[in-house]
Amino acid sequence: MLAAMPPTPAIPPHRDESLVRDGGDACAGGGREARVRDVRNRDGAAVQERGDAVVRDRGDACPGALRLHQAADGYLARLRLPAGRLTPHQARVLADAADRLGDGHLSLTSRGNAELRGLGADSAAPLAGLLRAAGLLPSDQHERVRNIVASPLAGLDGQGADGGAAVQDWARELDRLLCASPTAPALSGRFLFALDDGRGDVAALGADVTLIAEAGGTALLRIGDTPEALRLPGHDAPRTALAAAEAFLTVAREAGNGSWRVRELPPGYDAATVRVHLCTQLPEPCATATPPAPTRPSPPRPGQVTAPDGTRALSLLAPLGRLTSAHLRELADIAAQDGAGELRMTPWRGVVLPGLSPETAGPRLRELAATGLVTDPASPWYGLGACTGRPGCAKSLADVRADAVATLRAGGGTEPLPVHWSGCARRCGHPHGAWVDVVATGDAYEVSVRGTRDGAAAATTVPTTEPGRLADAVASARAATRTTPTTT
């Protein structure tokens, strides 16, 4: 379908990606920067005034595997893992890198990516060498833009459109196309693709370009949070997703406000404008459709998942998103010896191991539970997250991880809403949709429900010295039943 699409002119990347050490914020907050810029719509009318909307005059500072961020606990590297996939060999390489160069851990992000922390100032070159040799850096120029999340259980549980397996093929092809595109390096390190197998899990993550599989081999393509989507043949889905990202770059350049993401585009240059521009690039007329409204993101539950062919997948959670190097090696061994030779990191800071036999799944799950990984679907760790906090982040006002654990032991409630602990108002890594916000203010925490259509609820302030009261406040907020929005 897209063979006749004309090439998009190359746009220079935000900055050189070769072994850059960045001392600024690591993707700090996505805040709305009040810069004085004369931004006008296509008719020349002013659409922004001082402090009115997002106006950016620089590229984003998101760390990568080659652009390291200096944190309070050393340098940080963020490695993009399209669809969260790792081979056992790659997982062992990351375990070795964590031990040799970092703090012995791998942190999982809300996009199914991975971070190495505690790196030394001289670790950039050896780390890059390890990652290249393992096939984890197919293109230095594109390494920060390979942000692709996919339904973690696609093809593993019989759910999703036509079994859901197509999205894994989409992820591989989209990654290949991204890394071959001369235009894609101009994307922000925050620009996100979501490939949903039809169950609606990653479609609710607020991506810039979302593909949703449909029964019969078609796909829906949604840009930003616009309710209208394009329907296209499934085999054209990856190439059209890349074309949508390139259309965003064209519209963002015309808008002149430096948008990093679709939702930052000013009036007159919104997601609908991107869609119109995309349709002008396609060789066939665009067919539109309205996909189901996104619901609350639903992570895979810990435990065993049964596939239609009788094989099992193991679904696990890393407490507060941290895997030790020993965890990684054990997961890699199980994937290689008993599974399908694959690990899938999830956007909910978990891991899925596909392809185990019914006979081996139970014993391996018990072994992993003994290492401290979460394997029980009723675990209070389910839905609990936190930023790095002290001492790793200099901006944090508290050791949020220690406080989250103390509150968990004191109660803290369970579903339905997830909980995210933040050391400061930036709220790094918070969930999409509605969540319980526990944010440090210095000598206290403020607890509220955020991300709902009716806005943030009034916060309850609890001193840090009272974990019992804090647990009660979190439990009360977590039980809230509010409508989850399609955007945050």
Side-chain angles (χ1 to χ4, degrees):
M1 173 179 173
L2 298 178
M5 184 182 299
T8 304
I11 301 173
H14 289 301
R15 59 180 68 181
D16 180 27
E17 297 300 325
S18 179
L19 300 178
V20 175
R21 294 181 182 84
D22 171 41
D25 291 351
C27 276
R32 296 184 175 271
E33 305 175 20
R35 315 272 183 173
V36 181
R37 292 275 303 279
D38 181 20
V39 181
R40 300 178 178 273
N41 66 17
R42 291 170 185 267
D43 297 324
V47 295
Q48 287 189 294
E49 297 177 354
R50 181 193 302 267
D52 167 85
V54 174
V55 180
R56 303 189 184 278
D57 59 8
R58 62 170 178 82
D60 73 274
C62 274
L66 301 179
R67 176 192 289 178
L68 306 188
H69 165 72
Q70 188 172 8
D73 58 349
Y75 284 92
L76 174 155
R78 183 175 297 156
L79 177 64
R80 271 64 176 184
L81 303 175
R85 292 170 61 116
L86 284 172
T87 67
H89 172 66
Q90 289 170 337
R92 295 187 188 104
V93 168
L94 291 180
D96 291 344
D99 284 340
R100 288 173 47 192
L101 304 172
D103 64 1
H105 292 77
L106 191 75
S107 296
L108 305 183
T109 78
S110 59
R111 294 180 165 198
N113 293 324
E115 290 181 350
L116 293 166
R117 299 189 67 96
L119 300 169
D122 58 351
S123 62
L127 175 62
L130 288 172
L131 298 178
R132 288 192 188 99
L136 290 167
L137 280 179
S139 171
D140 288 7
Q141 189 182 21
H142 296 80
E143 63 103 359
R144 291 192 318 120
V145 304
R146 301 168 67 220
N147 291 303
I148 304 171
V149 295
S151 300
L153 296 181
L156 301 181
D157 61 355
Q159 303 300 309
D162 299 333
V167 300
Q168 292 296 318
D169 294 332
W170 290 353
R172 283 187 284 267
E173 177 65 5
L174 177 56
D175 186 40
R176 184 189 70 80
L177 293 169
L178 270 172
C179 290
S181 167
T183 306
L187 292 169
S188 159
R190 301 183 189 183
F191 194 94
L192 179 63
F193 297 89
L195 313 183
D196 193 294
D197 68 359
R199 74 184 68 211
D201 54 356
V202 299
L205 294 181
D208 298 281
V209 176
T210 301
L211 291 174
I212 304 172
E214 293 187 300
T218 58
L220 297 178
L221 184 146
R222 188 177 68 219
I223 298 171
D225 60 4
T226 181
E228 191 172 62
L230 302 181
R231 177 170 281 124
L232 56 144
H235 59 81
D236 281 336
R239 191 172 297 276
T240 311
L242 174 60
E246 294 172 336
F248 159 78
L249 289 173
T250 299
V251 173
R253 183 173 58 233
E254 293 177 0
N257 73 325
S259 296
W260 296 344
R261 304 200 61 189
V262 169
R263 64 172 176 253
E264 296 177 356
L265 290 168
Y269 299 89
D270 56 10
T273 309
V274 177
R275 187 177 69 249
V276 169
H277 182 82
L278 170 63
C279 288
T280 66
Q281 306 301 304
L282 300 179
E284 297 178 10
C286 291
T288 59
T290 302
T295 58
R296 180 184 303 154
S298 179
R301 287 194 169 275
Q304 293 189 47
V305 178
T306 301
D309 64 1
T311 60
R312 304 289 195 270
L314 302 185
S315 176
L316 316 147
L317 290 178
L320 298 180
R322 294 275 277 173
L323 293 171
T324 66
S325 58
H327 285 147
L328 272 174
R329 291 188 179 94
E330 181 150 5
L331 292 167
D333 288 346
I334 292 174
Q337 297 167 13
D338 302 306
E342 173 188 355
L343 300 82
R344 298 184 187 179
M345 308 299 173
T346 81
W348 298 278
R349 298 177 173 89
V351 185
V352 173
L353 300 180
L356 281 77
S357 70
E359 295 75 25
T360 60
R364 295 298 175 264
L365 195 66
R366 290 190 290 272
E367 291 173 9
L368 292 168
T371 70
L373 294 176
V374 179
T375 62
D376 182 357
S379 170
W381 287 104
Y382 182 76
L384 181 64
C387 71
T388 296
R390 288 181 179 172
C393 177
K395 289 181 170 60
S396 181
L397 302 175
D399 186 346
V400 292
R401 291 173 179 268
D403 291 341
V405 171
T407 301
L408 186 72
R409 290 170 178 161
T414 55
E415 296 178 79
L417 292 183
V419 180
H420 188 76
W421 292 67
S422 302
C424 72
R426 297 186 307 161
R427 296 176 171 86
C428 294
H430 72 74
H432 197 78
W435 86 97
V436 176
D437 178 47
V438 186
V439 61
T441 61
D443 56 358
Y445 282 98
E446 291 184 349
V447 182
S448 64
V449 177
R450 296 179 67 90
T452 61
R453 284 197 179 95
D454 49 354
T460 300
T461 302
V462 184
T464 56
T465 55
E466 301 183 36
R469 277 189 60 200
L470 190 54
D472 290 342
V474 171
S476 176
R478 200 170 193 186
T481 54
R482 296 177 178 232
T483 302
T484 304
T486 57
T487 61
T488 56

